[in-house]
Amino acid sequence: MSLFRPKNLTCPSCKALITMDAVGSINADRRPDYRDDILNNKFQDTTCGSCNATFRLQPDFNYLDAGRGQWIAALPAARMPEYLAAEDESAALFSTSYGDKAPKAAQVVGKTLAVRLTFGWPAVREKLLLREHDLDDAIMELVKLDVLRRVPSAPMKPGVELRAFDLSDDNISMVWLETDTEASLENLQVPRALYRAIAETIKEWEKVHTELTNGAFVDLQKLYMGRGRGAAHAAQ
């Protein structure tokens, strides 16, 4: 079941009060249209009745797609610096929903789910996109790391992230964007052959791969925040 709750908001343009239904959980098996809306960048959009400005509510929900083996705690981008606490919160929630503290039937489902934590819309959308194309999200983060090593002028810094936004047979379309505003800074095309090459030599990436997958926040960003649970300097 997908759950919504009324939420009072202030229009960022005219400061008028707006009430909209904010999502608390999504069951994409029952409502695949919600998944489609996330992929199309229009889920939780709203328009102000006073000034007609359109804006988007930040994600703050749990996402289940048992058919694709995904469970995601999708949180606002502003919470990324506290990802360690958010990992603990999402782990506790998953435990009672589909983990060792859940009913037996739910535990059966839980064993098939990859647990992930994301911050902001581009991040959760990327997880859905990669699963649609049957790509491993941790390997995609290694692709990003390789891109950073090859492009010294890449604008990687706190508040800027690199996201895959489209895939073809030959290329991975990526974009540098600002975490807070989601404004695009620069697009680039990465050969899909790079993903395959890293997947085939994954043992050579063992140290950083272990750090990336140590927790539900499987994201290159944490390697640059210096507070990982494992190898703190894996990105160096």
Side-chain angles (χ1 to χ4, degrees), residues 153-234:
S153 61
M156 185 69 178
K157 61 181 181 180
V160 175
E161 56 192 69
L162 180 61
R163 296 293 171 198
F165 69 89
D166 197 12
L167 293 124
S168 68
D169 290 341
D170 297 323
N171 291 306
I172 304 167
S173 298
M174 292 188 173
V175 60
W176 292 102
L177 51 82
E178 294 180 349
T179 299
D180 292 342
T181 66
E182 299 180 14
S184 298
L185 301 176
E186 181 181 345
N187 289 6
L188 70 156
Q189 296 292 316
V190 178
R192 195 153 171 174
L194 179 59
Y195 175 96
R196 293 191 291 269
I198 291 175
E200 291 169 359
T201 58
I202 194 65
K203 289 186 177 180
E204 298 177 12
W205 297 82
E206 183 176 1
K207 182 179 179 181
V208 65
H209 184 269
T210 298
E211 173 67 359
L212 279 169
T213 56
N214 185 17
F217 184 42
V218 180
D219 197 297
L220 180 63
Q221 295 289 316
K222 73 179 180 183
L223 301 183
Y224 290 86
M225 288 192 278
R227 296 188 297 124
R229 298 179 190 272
H233 304 289

Side-chain angles (χ1 to χ4, degrees), residues 4-236:
F4 292 77
R5 61 189 184 281
K7 184 169 185 175
N8 293 325
L9 306 170
T10 300
C11 173
S13 295
C14 71
K15 308 307 179 184
L17 182 65
I18 301 171
T19 300
M20 69 173 292
D21 289 332
V23 67
S25 66
I26 291 176
N27 185 323
D29 299 288
R30 297 183 179 181
R31 292 299 304 264
D33 54 315
Y34 292 157
R35 176 180 175 277
D36 293 341
D37 284 348
I38 294 173
L39 287 169
N40 291 325
N41 291 311
K42 63 181 184 180
F43 188 66
Q44 294 280 264
D45 279 357
T46 191
T47 301
C48 176
S50 297
C51 70
N52 291 321
T54 300
F55 60 98
R56 194 176 192 186
L57 188 65
Q58 275 284 303
D60 194 0
F61 61 89
N62 304 312
Y63 176 93
L64 171 67
D65 188 339
R68 292 182 174 85
Q70 287 184 294
W71 187 93
I72 302 171
L75 300 181
R79 289 203 61 189
M80 190 187 298
E82 56 186 85
Y83 79 88
L84 289 174
E87 279 189 332
D88 291 340
E89 294 168 11
S90 61
L93 178 59
F94 182 81
S95 177
T96 58
S97 301
Y98 296 99
D100 57 0
K101 296 181 181 178
K104 293 297 184 183
Q107 289 186 35
V108 172
V109 175
K111 291 177 180 178
T112 69
L113 301 175
V115 179
R116 294 292 185 263
L117 171 66
T118 61
F119 298 95
W121 287 112
V124 65
R125 181 189 181 276
E126 182 181 59
K127 297 297 185 188
L128 305 191
L129 177 69
L130 296 180
R131 184 54 57 93
E132 180 177 317
H133 289 267
D134 198 26
L135 297 180
D136 184 287
D137 61 337
I139 294 177
M140 187 60 70
E141 297 305 309
L142 295 176
V143 170
K144 296 176 189 179
L145 182 59
D146 197 64
V147 168
L148 291 177
R149 291 172 173 173
R150 293 168 184 261
V151 186
S153 61
M156 185 69 178
K157 61 181 181 180
V160 175
E161 56 192 69
L162 180 61
R163 296 293 171 198
F165 69 89
D166 197 12
L167 293 124
S168 68
D169 290 341
D170 297 323
N171 291 306
I172 304 167
S173 298
M174 292 188 173
V175 60
W176 292 102
L177 51 82
E178 294 180 349
T179 299
D180 292 342
T181 66
E182 299 180 14
S184 298
L185 301 176
E186 181 181 345
N187 289 6
L188 70 156
Q189 296 292 316
V190 178
R192 195 153 171 174
L194 179 59
Y195 175 96
R196 293 191 291 269
I198 291 175
E200 291 169 359
T201 58
I202 194 65
K203 289 186 177 180
E204 298 177 12
W205 297 82
E206 183 176 1
K207 182 179 179 181
V208 65
H209 184 269
T210 298
E211 173 67 359
L212 279 169
T213 56
N214 185 17
F217 184 42
V218 180
D219 197 297
L220 180 63
Q221 295 289 316
K222 73 179 180 183
L223 301 183
Y224 290 86
M225 288 192 278
R227 296 188 297 124
R229 298 179 190 272
H233 304 289
Q236 296 183 357

